[in-house]
Amino acid sequence: MDRSLAHKHLHVVTGKGGTGKTSVAAALALALAADGRTTLLCEVEGRQGIAQVFDTAPLPYTETQIASAPGGGRVFALAVDPKEALRDYLQLFYRLGPAMGMLDRVGAVDFVTTIAPGLRDVLLTGKVYEATGARRKGRQRYDAVIVDAVPTGRVGRFLNVNAEVSGLARVGPVHKQADSIMRLLRSEATAVHLVTLLEEMPVQESIDAIAELHALGLPVGAVAVNRVRNSPLSQVDLRAAATGKMKADQISQGLAAAGLDHPSHPVAATATALINEAAELSERITLQQAQRQRLEETGQPLIDLPEVQAPGTVAAVHELAETIRAGLR
Ligand SMILES: Nc1ncnc2c1ncn2[C@@H]1O[C@H](COP(=O)(O)OP(=O)(O)O)[C@@H](O)[C@H]1O
Ligand SMILES: [Mg+2]
């Protein structure tokens, strides 16, 4: 990763669903907490994905320490809840926090938090903005805030919603807040990262999202290429596999020499199976290289992240964090 990316204050992580958005956001929060720093990892989709990747109980709406980083760093986590964010919002702008109960009874809370997606995004981004600390007197301040954000298809609208609010509310505190949020999101302090796999669909979505973010004036950071597997075969072998030039008799001899000949698994059959597998691997790697080429053409920095041994464990998050950290150095 570009060194300057290590010093952003707000990191927004997006990606096609299932590519590893939550895992990468968690690993980034851990990587940025190294050397005694404190970071906050926020989720905004109510899925308790962070609790899952850290293998802990569901997160409360309050900021809670969820992990420790090497060198005394701390990672806090927060599941942003739209209803709680609405309460904060009403309190902040209208001193109306206590009116929530009444609003709830007339259905207004459901309307704002679930039915009107734009309003919901206003609440969620408002809470994230608050966590970045412009007004945090006497509360925990963070060296970096990392958001496990909405998927690529919705990220432009999500991040730009306050530009619309600012246009609707021309004056007053709501206008001011919306402007402040947009100023932060468009500033050098922010980076929007993408997570992808080297497959056609997620790569296409990443490329589309990069173009959309650029058009909105939002700063694009790195592209995390997740689940990269190193080939067990050399370039020469891969080419031989692709062009049908692997030598079955040579492979059979090697298998026999290794004592792998057995009446139920004759070496000739094993050699054929290996050659077919090598051809498939070669094809897959060629396709992946084409996808990587497309990502390189975007001009954004790419960070390769390995396929981890034990996905869904704290160890896996640490492993990914180490790779990210090495990239930061
Ligand atoms: N680098 C990786 N290696 C192996 N498995 C991974 C890796 N990254 C993510 N996964 C697995 O892929 C699945 C989706 O990851 P997750 O972070 O929840 O993605 P998203 O938030 O994009 O839906 C999970 O089961 C996770 O453990
Ligand atoms: Mg997720």
Side-chain angles (χ1 to χ4, degrees), residues 32-289:
L32 294 171
D35 306 322
R37 294 174 17 125
T38 304
T39 61
L40 177 69
L41 174 61
C42 297
E43 73 178 314
V44 295
E45 290 198 291
R47 296 221 179 122
Q48 290 292 338
I50 294 176
Q52 260 170 46
V53 305
F54 280 103
D55 205 10
T56 59
L59 297 174
Y61 178 64
T62 50
E63 295 150 36
T64 316
Q65 187 177 345
I66 195 165
S68 301
R74 293 178 303 161
V75 180
F76 285 71
L78 171 66
V80 181
D81 174 57
K83 280 197 186 183
E84 294 294 340
L86 175 61
R87 188 190 305 278
D88 288 358
Y89 193 89
L90 291 173
Q91 184 59 21
L92 179 62
F93 294 113
Y94 306 106
R95 309 246 170 269
L96 270 179
M100 272 286 283
M102 184 205 68
L103 290 172
D104 216 356
R105 280 193 294 282
V106 300
V109 171
D110 275 349
F111 176 75
V112 171
T113 57
T114 63
I115 300 165
L119 290 175
R120 181 189 161 93
D121 289 349
V122 171
L123 296 171
L124 298 174
T125 51
K127 182 65 196 176
V128 168
Y129 172 72
E130 190 275 325
T132 62
R135 305 183 188 193
R136 297 213 136 198
K137 287 188 198 80
R139 298 183 53 204
Q140 179 69 51
R141 283 171 183 255
Y142 298 104
D143 295 302
V145 173
I146 298 88
V147 187
D148 176 12
V150 299
T152 34
R154 288 196 284 125
V155 76
R157 288 196 68 181
F158 177 75
L159 293 175
N160 205 49
V161 70
N162 286 285
E164 289 171 38
V165 172
S166 170
L168 291 172
R170 299 243 153 215
V171 289
V174 171
H175 173 84
K176 235 176 98 186
Q177 162 97 345
D179 269 358
S180 307
I181 295 175
M182 285 318 299
R183 210 173 306 122
L184 170 66
L185 289 176
R186 289 175 176 151
S187 76
E188 297 246 303
T190 297
V192 184
H193 308 294
L194 294 109
V195 180
T196 189
L197 304 174
L198 287 179
E199 292 168 10
E200 165 104 42
M201 290 275 287
V203 165
Q204 186 59 49
E205 281 198 23
S206 301
I207 291 170
D208 291 346
I210 290 170
E212 185 186 17
L213 293 165
H214 280 316
L216 292 170
L218 293 161
V220 182
V223 178
V225 180
N226 196 20
R227 310 186 73 158
V228 173
R229 268 186 244 226
N230 287 325
S231 165
L233 296 181
S234 69
Q235 285 295 333
V236 173
D237 285 341
L238 285 172
R239 208 164 309 124
T243 51
K245 286 183 186 144
M246 281 199 146
K247 301 207 169 58
D249 50 344
Q250 250 178 35
I251 295 172
S252 294
Q253 277 170 28
L255 289 167
L260 291 172
D261 203 4
H262 189 272
S264 66
H265 293 94
V267 287
T270 310
T272 308
L274 284 174
I275 287 171
N276 288 340
E277 210 167 293
E280 270 169 39
L281 175 68
S282 176
E283 192 180 333
R284 200 160 68 229
I285 287 175
T286 306
L287 290 174
Q288 288 190 353
Q289 277 164 353

Side-chain angles (χ1 to χ4, degrees), residues 1 5-6 11-13 22-34 39 41 75 144-147 191 193 303 317 320-321 324-325 328:
M1 196 194 286
L5 287 179
H11 297 260
V12 178
V13 180
T22 303
S23 304
V24 172
L28 181 60
L30 201 52
L32 294 171
T39 61
L41 174 61
V75 180
V145 173
I146 298 88
V147 187
H193 308 294
I303 311 170
V317 185
L320 293 176
I324 292 175
R325 224 160 92 76
L328 293 173

